Amino acid sequence: EDKVVQSPLSLVVHEGDTVTLNCSYEVTNFRSLLWYKQEKKAPTFLFMLTSSGIEKKSGRLSSILDKKELFSILNITATQTGDSAIYLCAAEHSGNTPLVFGKGTRLSVIA
Amino acid sequence: SAVISQKPSRDICQRGTSLTIQCQVDSQVTMMFWYRQQPGQSLTLIATANQGSEATYESGFVIDKFPISRPNLTFSTLTVSNLSPEDSSIYLCSAAGGPNEQFFGPGTRLTVL
């Protein structure tokens, strides 16, 4: 059975801290790993990772995929209160098939 | 990227009634999906909306409770029938516009009293 496991489930940090969110996956016909940020209702897309070892970066956020060990991390440096959200990791099969979501990591950044 | 709109954005419904949620994509897409997110939970796939054929439901979801329409390549509806408080959730429509692309609608927050 396909599964995506995220850790930790919740995290509280202070502004300025650096956080690392983890995502491991077991998915048949794996194609890509996606990270989303969910603040209110709909998740917003952060990164899509298809190749091992290539870091994707957007501002203070970065992510990398390890296809050998079947995991990905999302790093946020110099956290801000606006980073408070649920971060969802999802694995995609080949083809236009539904994503397999992890349970998410709830990040709270306090001033 | 595709832009997806959903209506209504939120609703409060009485037990036993039904709610139909509409999902409109600004371009033709092959696959559309409906997810549910119960309070404090991650997203759970309800079904894949197939154009021109019946939707494909995930385990635990049935057509009688969640009938879905997909009349064309840009539109789908999800009806949540015979509502109970346990159906209170956010319902999200998503669309796959091409390889490695999946976008989400803004979601519909349903509260059942």
Side-chain angles (χ1 to χ4, degrees):
Chain A
E1 182 184 343
D2 295 332
K3 63 179 179 180
V4 173
V5 179
Q6 291 186 245
S7 64
L9 292 181
S10 67
L11 190 57
V12 181
V13 300
H14 289 93
E15 272 191 317
D17 288 351
T18 293
V19 297
T20 298
L21 309 183
N22 303 297
C23 174
S24 65
Y25 64 91
E26 290 179 32
V27 170
T28 55
N29 298 319
F30 172 82
R31 177 154 76 180
S32 61
L33 193 291
L34 298 94
W35 284 96
Y36 291 88
K37 178 182 181 183
Q38 187 178 27
E39 292 177 90
K40 291 181 181 177
K41 285 191 295 189
T44 53
F45 174 80
L46 294 176
F47 297 110
M48 183 181 69
L49 305 157
T50 54
S51 301
S52 270
I54 299 176
E55 184 183 53
K56 292 220 172 175
K57 197 169 171 65
S58 175
R60 296 176 293 105
L61 277 68
S62 63
S63 185
I64 197 162
L65 176 68
D66 185 327
K67 290 171 76 172
K68 183 180 176 186
E69 300 297 330
L70 307 183
F71 79 89
S72 174
I73 60 171
L74 174 69
N75 280 320
I76 308 175
T77 59
T79 52
Q80 303 170 357
T81 55
D83 295 326
S84 297
I86 297 171
Y87 290 84
L88 293 163
C89 168
E92 183 183 30
H93 304 271
S94 57
N96 285 331
T97 52
L99 303 175
V100 181
F101 280 90
K103 292 186 182 299
T105 294
R106 182 181 293 275
L107 174 64
S108 299
V109 182
I110 54 178
Chain B
S1 63
V3 176
I4 304 175
S5 60
Q6 270 184 248
K7 290 195 296 188
S9 61
R10 60 173 57 221
D11 208 342
I12 300 173
C13 299
Q14 295 295 323
R15 189 191 299 250
T17 63
S18 298
L19 176 71
T20 295
I21 303 167
Q22 298 179 7
C23 178
Q24 180 75 53
V25 188
D26 69 344
S27 58
Q28 291 187 341
V29 292
T30 309
M31 308 291 283
M32 294 181 74
F33 309 103
W34 287 98
Y35 290 88
R36 179 175 74 180
Q37 187 174 28
Q38 294 176 300
Q41 308 280 324
S42 187
L43 282 72
T44 301
L45 180 67
I46 298 171
T48 302
N50 305 306
Q51 196 269 330
S53 64
E54 278 198 2
T56 304
Y57 289 85
E58 298 300 302
S59 175
F61 297 96
V62 295
I63 188 171
D64 289 346
K65 176 69 175 177
F66 298 99
I68 286 171
S69 79
R70 179 88 196 272
N72 56 52
L73 291 174
T74 64
F75 187 78
S76 178
T77 67
L78 168 73
T79 299
V80 189
S81 303
N82 190 24
L83 291 167
S84 69
E86 292 71 35
D87 295 320
S88 297
S89 293
I90 295 171
Y91 291 85
L92 290 154
C93 163
S94 84
N100 305 326
E101 291 184 322
Q102 188 161 125
F103 307 97
F104 288 89
T108 297
R109 187 184 295 276
L110 170 62
T111 302
V112 183
L113 302 178

